[in-house]
Amino acid sequence: MKYLIATLVFLLVEVLYFAIAKRFDIVDRPNERSSHTRVTLLGGGVIFFLALLYFCVTHGWQYPWLLAGVALIAVVSYIDDMKGLPASLRFGVQLVTLFLVLFQFEAFSLDVWKVLLVVFVTMATVNIYNFMDGINGMLAAYSLVVLGTLAYANWLNPFVDADLILFVMLSAAVFCFFNFRKKARCFSGDVGSIVMGCIVLFLMGRMIQASPSATQPLSCLVFIGVYLADGGLTILKRMLRGENVFQPHREHMYETLCNDLRVPHLWVSGSYAVVQLAINVGYFFVADKMLYAVAIATVLFLLYSGFFFGFKQGYLKAKER
């Protein structure tokens, strides 16, 4: 019953948000970099933060530092969605947020270099999670797969209150209902993608922290391996070209598939989710999970490279003829 109530609350909140967004013209208008062609409500991903807040209110305010950090980054990201903020301010807030989350982990007992390494990796990963939210259904479908995987891992070896994962999953399912469409009713905005990235990383961090092994838990990064491959390798590719990686672009593999090869958005979003699901299922059937993660990373690297330096170039040349 509590999950039905939570779902109804999230659905009501989302519908009410749509009315507010329409009233104050909180929308995403297409531009030359957009993958959509019509004005669409923006900021629907605020529901992910509200799911975290709902969990904290109904479960004795567990994880207060996580809530504080995510609240801070949600507010700043929402303002950035509406007005645009300097990159230095956004990154500064992300840094504060990650330190608050690390405080929740009690991670400051670690060596300084380890703390700095964790901050760098988590900041990079949160931003990659943000970069990958560019087409209908991508964030919602992919996050449902990742959260479902973490829920199963938590069932096998508990590391957080299960309701935290389930409530966020329910909010993602509600958002998916409005976003996984040919003509989306709303977009997540940075407020949704960054908040979801922070929550996912918090859950993965708790999973790593709860494991007795020092190295095997790092293999859980494979749970978001498709995102890391596309986002991370795209950044690397642009750096090798001497491009400014902080400038907007349409270089991600999913953007190329949609914009250049004209593959429908929902096919691409669904494929990313299905591939990640297959990878995550395989994770639970292997003994050496670190070796599995390295093997998956190698395969994804080869597929990404083959696509951009083989198939895409050949396709575009043939098209020009």
Side-chain angles (χ1 to χ4, degrees):
M1 178 60 71
K2 65 180 177 180
Y3 300 121
L4 176 60
I5 293 173
T7 302
L8 292 175
V9 168
F10 299 151
L11 183 61
L12 177 61
V13 167
E14 193 77 319
V15 172
L16 288 174
Y17 176 77
F18 289 169
I20 294 171
K22 288 179 181 177
R23 172 67 178 81
F24 293 99
D25 197 35
I26 305 172
V27 297
D28 187 337
R29 291 183 169 80
N31 56 48
E32 67 279 1
R33 294 183 295 101
S34 300
S35 296
H36 62 288
T37 57
R38 69 174 194 164
V39 175
T40 306
L41 297 178
L42 183 63
V46 71
I47 193 174
F48 306 145
F49 168 70
L50 294 176
L52 173 60
L53 179 61
Y54 183 86
F55 167 80
C56 291
V57 169
T58 58
H59 288 67
W61 298 98
Q62 296 185 53
Y63 317 123
W65 295 110
L66 169 67
L67 179 64
V70 173
L72 174 63
I73 205 167
V75 170
V76 172
S77 297
Y78 191 73
I79 295 172
D80 184 50
D81 281 332
M82 292 189 295
K83 297 182 178 180
L85 294 173
S88 57
L89 176 59
R90 298 198 308 270
F91 286 127
V93 171
Q94 288 177 21
L95 189 62
V96 173
T97 294
L98 292 175
F99 271 105
L100 288 171
V101 174
L102 287 175
F103 196 76
Q104 183 72 72
F105 281 127
E106 299 179 356
F108 290 103
S109 59
L110 298 174
D111 295 335
V112 174
W113 72 269
K114 290 182 180 179
V115 173
L116 294 176
L117 178 61
V118 169
V119 169
F120 173 79
V121 171
T122 51
M123 280 195 68
T125 306
V126 165
N127 280 283
I128 286 174
Y129 216 97
N130 182 33
F131 296 156
M132 294 298 293
D133 174 34
I135 58 175
N136 296 359
M138 176 70 87
L139 177 67
Y142 190 86
S143 295
L144 281 172
V145 168
V146 176
L147 291 168
T149 303
L150 289 165
Y152 179 69
N154 189 58
W155 178 73
L156 293 176
N157 182 29
F159 50 86
V160 293
D161 188 317
D163 282 352
L164 171 59
I165 306 177
L166 294 174
F167 284 173
V168 178
M169 283 186 71
L170 291 174
S171 71
V174 169
F175 178 73
C176 193
F177 175 75
F178 294 107
N179 181 255
F180 197 91
R181 305 179 180 201
K182 185 175 181 180
K183 295 182 179 179
R185 286 282 308 279
C186 71
F187 292 150
S188 164
D190 287 355
V191 64
S193 56
I194 290 181
V195 165
M196 181 63 77
C198 287
I199 293 173
V200 166
L201 283 175
F202 171 76
L203 295 172
M204 291 173 64
R206 293 287 292 189
M207 180 180 172
I208 292 171
Q209 193 176 40
S211 173
S213 170
T215 57
Q216 287 285 68
L218 296 176
S219 61
C220 72
L221 287 172
V222 79
F223 292 170
I224 54 173
V226 175
Y227 261 23
L228 292 178
D230 192 344
L233 291 174
T234 297
I235 292 173
L236 177 61
K237 178 181 67 178
R238 299 189 70 216
M239 289 176 64
L240 293 175
R241 290 177 179 173
E243 299 176 8
N244 184 348
V245 297
F246 297 105
Q247 290 297 318
H249 63 90
R250 297 192 352 171
E251 289 286 323
H252 289 289
M253 184 173 178
Y254 75 87
E255 292 173 315
T256 300
L257 288 169
C258 292
N259 300 323
D260 296 336
L261 305 185
R262 301 300 178 187
V263 180
H265 287 203
L266 300 187
W267 280 95
V268 175
S269 297
S271 297
Y272 271 57
V274 169
V275 170
Q276 189 63 69
L277 177 61
I279 290 171
N280 293 359
V281 169
Y283 178 89
F284 295 100
F285 287 91
V286 298
D288 192 333
K289 300 189 183 305
M290 199 64 192
L291 179 61
Y292 178 77
V294 171
I296 291 297
T298 302
V299 170
L300 291 174
F301 172 78
L302 293 174
L303 288 174
Y304 182 93
S305 301
F307 174 80
F308 274 106
F309 301 109
F311 174 77
K312 180 188 174 184
Q313 297 299 326
Y315 175 86
L316 294 179
K317 286 181 181 179
K319 189 176 179 180
E320 289 174 358
R321 297 194 193 105

